[in-house]
Amino acid sequence: MIDNNGCGTNRLPRSAPPPMTENLKQLLLARSDWFAREIMRGVRDSEYAYLTPAQSRLLAHMGGKPMSMAELARRLGVSRQAAHKTVAELARRGILDVQIDPQRRNSKLVVYTDKGRQVNRTGAQIIADIEARLAERLGPQGGEMLRDLLSADWDGGHG
C-alpha cells in the first residue's frame, strides 16, 4: 500500500468497526436509563426538585411500602451504609422515617411519613404521565405489548 506521503506501508486501510448489535440487557438498561431521566425531568418540574436520582431510585424501590434497610440495600445493589445514608437524607427532609421493625426487633424498618406519601403520589403521577407519552409513541398495541412482555414470568417462578 502507498500512504499519503507516497511511501509504502504494510498497514491495511482503516475501516470503521462493524456495528455492534445491542444485546437485550443493553437495550433494557438504555430504556431504564431513559425512564429514569424522564422521571427526574418530572421531579425537577415539581415541588420536590431537590430530590436526587439516588433518592428517587430508592423511593421507587420502596414502591410506597415499608421496607427493611437490608432489603433496600439489596434491591439497590449498594451497601447498607450507602442505603442508610440516602434514607437519612430523606428522613432529614421529612419524607421517610426509620423505626424498629416490630416483627424483627434487631432490624430497622424504613417507612413513609405523611409528606413521603405525598411525594409518592406525585411520583406516581409523573410515571403515569411518562407512560401516557410512551403509549402515544408506541401506539395502543405497542404500549400493551410492552407491558405484557415486561410483566411476563421470565424466570418460570424461580427467584
Side-chain angles (χ1 to χ4, degrees), residues 128-144 146:
D129 292 346
I130 295 167
E131 287 180 6
R133 289 194 338 257
L134 190 56
E136 285 177 20
R137 292 176 189 172
L138 298 177
Q141 289 92 5
E144 281 304 311
L146 178 60

Side-chain angles (χ1 to χ4, degrees), residues 28-49:
L28 288 168
L29 285 171
R31 294 308 183 209
S32 179
D33 289 346
W34 174 86
F35 213 104
R37 283 191 309 273
E38 291 300 304
I39 288 171
M40 288 312 298
R41 181 174 291 134
V43 168
R44 280 192 307 272
D45 292 340
S46 77
E47 63 185 285
Y48 307 109

Side-chain angles (χ1 to χ4, degrees), residues 3 12 21 29 33 37 44 48 60 84 88 93 95 103 110 123 125 129 140 143 146 148 150:
D3 65 17
L12 294 172
T21 303
L29 285 171
D33 289 346
R37 283 191 309 273
R44 280 192 307 272
Y48 307 109
H84 190 274
R93 296 256 188 202
I95 295 170
Q103 296 177 333
V110 181
Q125 185 58 57
D129 292 346
L146 178 60
D148 289 347
L150 293 174

Side-chain angles (χ1 to χ4, degrees), residues 53-156:
Q55 292 167 346
S56 173
R57 188 167 174 252
L58 183 142
L59 294 170
H61 277 283
M62 285 185 69
K65 299 178 183 91
M67 190 169 292
S68 73
M69 193 72 73
E71 179 64 13
L72 262 177
R74 186 189 69 74
R75 286 185 181 200
L76 291 166
V78 300
S79 68
R80 282 189 191 190
Q81 292 83 1
H84 190 274
K85 180 181 176 191
T86 304
V87 167
E89 292 167 5
L90 291 166
R92 186 178 58 79
R93 296 256 188 202
I95 295 170
L96 296 177
D97 191 25
V98 180
Q99 302 172 352
I100 294 175
D101 187 336
Q103 296 177 333
R104 287 181 249 136
R105 292 270 184 218
N106 62 342
S107 183
K108 302 283 183 169
L109 195 61
V110 181
V111 299
Y112 281 84
T113 63
D114 288 340
K115 181 178 179 180
R117 283 185 281 282
Q118 180 56 47
V119 170
N120 193 52
R121 284 189 291 275
T122 300
Q125 185 58 57
I126 290 169
I127 290 169
D129 292 346
I130 295 167
E131 287 180 6
R133 289 194 338 257
L134 190 56
E136 285 177 20
R137 292 176 189 172
L138 298 177
Q141 289 92 5
E144 281 304 311
M145 184 185 302
L146 178 60
R147 183 174 293 284
D148 289 347
L149 290 170
L150 293 174
S151 299
D153 183 6
W154 291 9
D155 62 5

